[in-house]
Amino acid sequence: MDIKLRPLKLTDADYMKEFTEDEDISRNLLFTRYPFPTENMISFIKTSWEDKRNIHYAIANENDEYIGTISLKNISYIDKNAEYAIVTRKKYWGLNVASLATDKILNYGFYTLNLNKIYLNVLSSNLRAIRFYKKYGFNQEAIFKKHVYRNGDYVDLIWFSYFKNDFNDKRFKP
Ligand SMILES: CC(C)(COP(=O)(O)OP(=O)(O)OC[C@H]1O[C@@H](n2cnc3c(N)ncnc32)[C@H](O)[C@@H]1OP(=O)(O)O)[C@@H](O)C(=O)NCCC(=O)NCCS
């Protein structure tokens, strides 16, 4: 499947609702711990058009249908790092879309923004995402023990990262 990254559109909010309404997805995300009505999604989308420190793109297919959101947040131009995040609609799981979108955002981060390191965190209970990050080539750096209170329990938060040098070696195809 061909995919592209594009700015978020207001109509994407209709699909983004799936992330808060589907327990399989929402239990693995942190923003879903708070009420997230449509108005908040709309303001999230509008803010994303202006915000230079937190980049959020839609992953879209050849028909421009919204597949998910991929982000580089907390971009530091001093330390040359940023925090990556991804969520895709369930019907696109297992189709290599997450990997293709990650190629694009990491290329953008390393070669357009000139970052040195891109990192992420994930709940230790999110086995599917952890498998995806390892498969993609992110390396585990740290575990913050019982760091997040989720569904009545404290859960470990695992940190992964990707360095530009490793990306050059493993994934970048000029
Ligand atoms: C994380 C996400 C983007 C990954 O995309 P995806 O299309 O599901 O990823 P893939 O199918 O390429 O990889 C998932 C891997 O996990 C495996 N997997 C699935 N369920 C699993 C489980 N319970 N335990 C371990 N591995 C599991 C799959 O088999 C696959 O591995 P394989 O390719 O070796 O068979 C997507 O699942 C998603 O959006 N999840 C919900 C939001 C989320 O959790 N985001 C991350 C927040 S940190």
Side-chain angles (χ1 to χ4, degrees), residues 132-147:
F132 167 70
Y133 298 141
K134 287 184 176 166
K135 188 176 64 165
Y136 186 83
F138 284 92
N139 290 309
Q140 187 175 317
E141 278 204 7
I143 301 180
F144 282 13
K145 298 274 184 200
K146 299 188 188 301
H147 193 68

Side-chain angles (χ1 to χ4, degrees), residues 19 24-25 28-29 84 86-89 92-99 120-123 126-129 131-133 135:
F19 305 146
D24 264 355
I25 301 178
N28 291 315
L29 301 175
Y84 154 100
I86 185 168
V87 53
T88 56
R89 294 167 64 199
Y92 290 98
W93 289 7
L95 299 178
N96 202 39
V97 160
S99 180
L120 66 89
N121 61 55
V122 57
L123 296 174
N126 192 352
L127 300 180
R128 182 172 192 117
R131 169 75 194 129
F132 167 70
Y133 298 141
K135 188 176 64 165

Side-chain angles (χ1 to χ4, degrees), residues 7 11 20 24 27 35 46 59 62 64-65 76 116 120 168:
T11 48
T20 51
D24 264 355
R27 69 188 155 86
K46 287 182 176 167
I59 308 165
E62 53 276 10
D64 207 37
E65 183 184 321
S76 168
N116 177 55
L120 66 89
N168 285 337

Side-chain angles (χ1 to χ4, degrees), residues 10-139:
L10 293 179
T11 48
D12 295 336
D14 294 338
Y15 300 105
M16 291 162 83
K17 280 186 209 146
E18 291 176 20
F19 305 146
T20 51
E21 288 168 0
D22 185 334
E23 171 67 10
D24 264 355
I25 301 178
S26 67
R27 69 188 155 86
N28 291 315
L29 301 175
L30 295 182
F31 73 84
T32 53
R33 291 187 291 182
Y34 315 100
F36 208 74
T38 307
E39 308 89 80
N40 292 24
M41 284 185 203
I42 297 293
S43 67
F44 169 78
I45 291 168
K46 287 182 176 167
T47 306
S48 77
W49 298 336
E50 313 291 331
D51 192 345
K52 300 282 177 250
R53 200 165 169 260
N54 298 285
I55 293 170
H56 301 283
Y57 284 127
I59 308 165
N61 67 13
E62 53 276 10
N63 300 321
D64 207 37
E65 183 184 321
Y66 173 86
I67 292 173
T69 302
I70 193 161
S71 313
L72 290 177
K73 303 180 289 183
N74 301 315
I75 299 170
S76 168
Y77 293 101
I78 295 174
D79 299 318
K80 296 195 189 312
N81 64 36
E83 180 183 340
Y84 154 100
I86 185 168
V87 53
T88 56
R89 294 167 64 199
K90 207 190 242 174
K91 72 175 198 171
Y92 290 98
W93 289 7
L95 299 178
N96 202 39
V97 160
S99 180
L100 293 173
T102 302
D103 283 345
K104 288 184 192 296
I105 200 89
L106 263 53
N107 251 303
Y108 182 73
F110 288 134
Y111 299 107
T112 302
L113 302 180
N114 198 25
L115 301 177
N116 177 55
K117 175 180 183 177
I118 292 174
Y119 60 94
L120 66 89
N121 61 55
V122 57
L123 296 174
S124 60
S125 50
N126 192 352
L127 300 180
R128 182 172 192 117
I130 291 168
R131 169 75 194 129
F132 167 70
Y133 298 141
K134 287 184 176 166
K135 188 176 64 165
Y136 186 83
F138 284 92
N139 290 309

